[in-house]
């Protein structure tokens, strides 16, 4: 696999994309929660909510079924899968229309991008751990949390080779994430939060989004 330059040819609508870099206390807690929970429990369905402000409810967008997100992001976005998830660590599939309805409004959207070596269940649990932290920091829940779950499962044996492949994929993932944000979250305040390779995706996504209309499209948090 070889990484290529990323381009995004879609009209960018002006909104602020603050980049919140990995704060050790918050994201170490989120990842410890995911790893501690990864050994047990099978995913179960949660009651449908429809209210993104409900305690414990967040949303997951999965690109795990997308083979090549860089070559044609506009087509790849149609292969994304969507889930309603709960802070307890369970999740259930929903349609793209259901997701759009659930996250509609003016609340800032926090997009969490996990790191390497995480299956879907671990990705959900890491987002759930972050959700619990954010709910303590923002008691009125004036935000919407969306976890971006990318194919971070081990691809090959050997940490070095696997890490190289994941680094490449995390950069390619940015084209798809930027396109999804452009199509879904226009005129919304979006906070990109990444851990490990997820932070690399977040920074590249911000660069793609800001590049279309210049540096005024990006501000650092």
């Amino acid at each position: 696999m070889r990484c290529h330059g990323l381009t995004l040819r879609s009209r960018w609508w002006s909104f602020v994309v603050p980049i919140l870099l990995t704060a050790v206390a918050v994201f170490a807690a989120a990842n410890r929660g995911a790893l501690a929970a990864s050994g047990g429990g099978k995913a179960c369905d949660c009651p449908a909510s429809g209210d993104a402000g409900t305690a414990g409810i967040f949303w997951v967008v999965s690109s795990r079924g997308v083979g090549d997100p860089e070559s044609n992001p506009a087509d790849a976005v149609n292969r994304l899968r969507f889930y309603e998830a709960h802070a307890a660590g369970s999740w259930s599939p929903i349609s793209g229309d259901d997701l759009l309805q659930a996250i509609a409004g003016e609340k800032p959207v926090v997009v969490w991008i996990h790191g390497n070596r995480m299956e879907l269940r671990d990705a959900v649990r890491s987002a759930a751990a972050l959700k619990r932290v954010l709910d303590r920091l923002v008691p009125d829940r004036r935000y919407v949390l969306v976890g971006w779950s990318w194919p971070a499962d081990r691809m090959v044996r050997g940490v070095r080779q696997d890490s190289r492949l994941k680094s490449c994929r995390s950069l390619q993932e940015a084209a798809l994430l930027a396109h999804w944000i452009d199509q879904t979250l226009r005129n919304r305040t979006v906070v990109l939060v990444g851990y490990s390779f997820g932070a690399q995706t977040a920074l590249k996504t911000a660069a793609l989004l800001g590049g279309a209309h210049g540096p005024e499209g990006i501000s650092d948090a």
Side-chain angles (χ1 to χ4, degrees), residues 22-32 130 133 136:
T22 54
V24 174
V26 174
F27 304 121
N31 281 271
R32 281 199 303 269
L130 178 59
V133 172
R136 291 197 296 269

Side-chain angles (χ1 to χ4, degrees), residues 54-213:
T54 301
I57 299 295
F58 60 97
W59 316 96
V60 176
V61 179
S62 174
S63 64
R64 291 174 181 266
V66 179
D68 185 358
E70 179 186 7
S71 60
N72 190 343
D75 177 66
V77 77
N78 295 323
R79 299 196 296 276
L80 293 172
R81 297 178 181 177
F82 310 97
Y83 302 89
E84 178 183 300
H86 194 273
S90 56
W91 71 94
S92 56
I94 59 174
S95 69
D97 290 339
D98 288 339
L99 174 70
L100 293 179
Q101 182 178 0
I103 67 175
E106 298 181 354
K107 292 181 179 179
V109 179
V110 178
V111 179
W112 160 249
I113 312 161
H114 60 80
N116 194 14
R117 296 294 181 95
M118 281 199 172
E119 299 178 358
L120 176 59
R121 65 177 181 177
D122 301 322
V124 172
R125 286 163 179 163
S126 71
L130 178 59
K131 170 70 173 171
R132 292 191 292 270
V133 172
L134 291 177
D135 282 351
R136 291 197 296 269
L137 297 175
V138 190
D140 61 359
R141 302 186 185 90
R142 294 294 301 170
Y143 74 95
V144 176
L145 176 62
V146 175
W148 185 269
S149 180
W150 57 284
D153 311 62
R154 188 177 71 173
M155 298 176 65
V156 296
R157 291 187 177 182
V159 174
R160 178 179 297 181
Q161 180 64 13
D162 188 68
S163 296
R164 287 176 178 173
L165 292 173
K166 297 303 177 43
S167 179
C168 183
R169 174 69 189 220
S170 69
L171 290 172
Q172 294 173 333
E173 199 75 15
L176 178 56
L177 176 54
H179 187 81
W180 181 79
I181 291 174
D182 182 40
Q183 296 298 307
T184 307
L185 302 174
R186 296 176 182 179
N187 302 313
R188 299 282 292 275
T189 297
V190 176
V191 181
L192 299 174
V193 183
Y195 176 80
S196 184
F197 285 137
Q200 180 169 265
T201 299
L203 291 170
K204 185 63 176 181
T205 299
L208 289 172
L209 295 176
H213 280 256

Side-chain angles (χ1 to χ4, degrees), residues 32-51:
R32 281 199 303 269
L35 293 175
S38 64
K42 184 178 181 181
C44 62
D45 291 348
C46 299
S49 169
D51 179 6

